Amino acid sequence: MKQQVPKASSSAILKTMKANKGKDSKLELMVRHALWREGYRYRKNNRQLFGVPDISFPNLKIVVFLDSCFWHACPLHFVMPKSNTSYWVPKINRNIERDIEVSNHYLEDDWTLLRFWEHEVYNDLERVLKTIKYFVDEKKKLK
């Protein structure tokens, strides 16, 4: 059963809620565009893969998830909203549970799973790209 989204408690919160995208976020676009420029070809939001990874290299068994600090409860930056806690607490907890389920799925099936927090992408995009490229290049050598 789908839970009702609470009404925004202010116009600022309404603006924030409307700005949240399910795909093609600024975060995703930064990483994808940089990879594409360097010649890396991937699938985006591949619905055939469990958990719909943000970026995937299915033939290499590599999935990349770019996790928002808010929606995925980053241990460094997440602060639980003080209003509508009856909605937000189960919502965020379920997101955390789902992340664990998705991670376990790929690890148990011998995929390379890469997860990056939003702040990692914004603070050190080059390290994120270097990590992704390293695993892609290593898997290509084995093929």
Side-chain angles (χ1 to χ4, degrees):
M1 185 165 102
K2 195 168 184 175
Q3 192 172 13
Q4 287 290 340
V5 177
K7 289 186 189 256
S9 55
S10 72
S11 60
I13 291 174
L14 178 63
K15 182 178 177 184
T16 299
M17 289 171 77
K18 284 183 174 182
N20 287 317
K21 295 180 172 186
K23 60 182 181 177
D24 295 335
S25 67
K26 181 178 175 186
L27 187 66
E28 290 178 38
L29 293 175
M30 283 175 61
V31 175
R32 289 195 337 235
H33 288 167
L35 287 171
W36 193 268
R37 272 193 308 273
E38 295 190 39
Y40 290 84
R41 300 301 179 249
Y42 50 81
R43 298 271 183 175
K44 63 176 192 158
N45 307 113
N46 186 344
R47 294 194 164 283
Q48 294 178 343
L49 295 177
F50 184 68
V52 191
D54 298 307
I55 299 169
S56 61
F57 301 86
N59 57 328
L60 301 174
K61 292 182 78 172
I62 298 173
V63 290
V64 180
F65 291 89
L66 305 170
D67 294 337
S68 155
C69 288
F70 176 76
W71 293 107
H72 298 269
C74 167
L76 297 179
H77 300 108
F78 178 72
V79 177
M80 184 63 74
K82 293 188 182 358
S83 62
N84 297 316
T85 54
S86 62
Y87 171 78
W88 287 113
V89 170
K91 170 68 177 161
I92 298 299
N93 285 340
R94 179 62 190 126
N95 289 351
I96 294 167
E97 289 171 10
R98 189 178 308 108
D99 289 344
I100 293 167
E101 291 167 10
V102 168
S103 293
N104 287 340
H105 170 83
Y106 287 107
L107 294 173
E108 289 168 5
D109 203 21
D110 292 326
W111 282 63
T112 298
L113 168 74
L114 302 174
R115 280 193 177 275
F116 300 98
W117 288 110
E118 171 184 12
H119 68 265
E120 292 178 292
V121 174
Y122 287 134
N123 294 341
D124 197 352
L125 177 61
E126 287 308 310
R127 185 188 64 79
V128 170
L129 295 171
K130 187 176 180 179
T131 302
I132 296 169
K133 293 185 301 185
Y134 170 80
F135 283 100
V136 169
D137 294 345
E138 287 300 308
K139 288 269 186 125
K140 280 182 177 178
K141 288 178 191 174
L142 298 174
K143 284 218 158 236

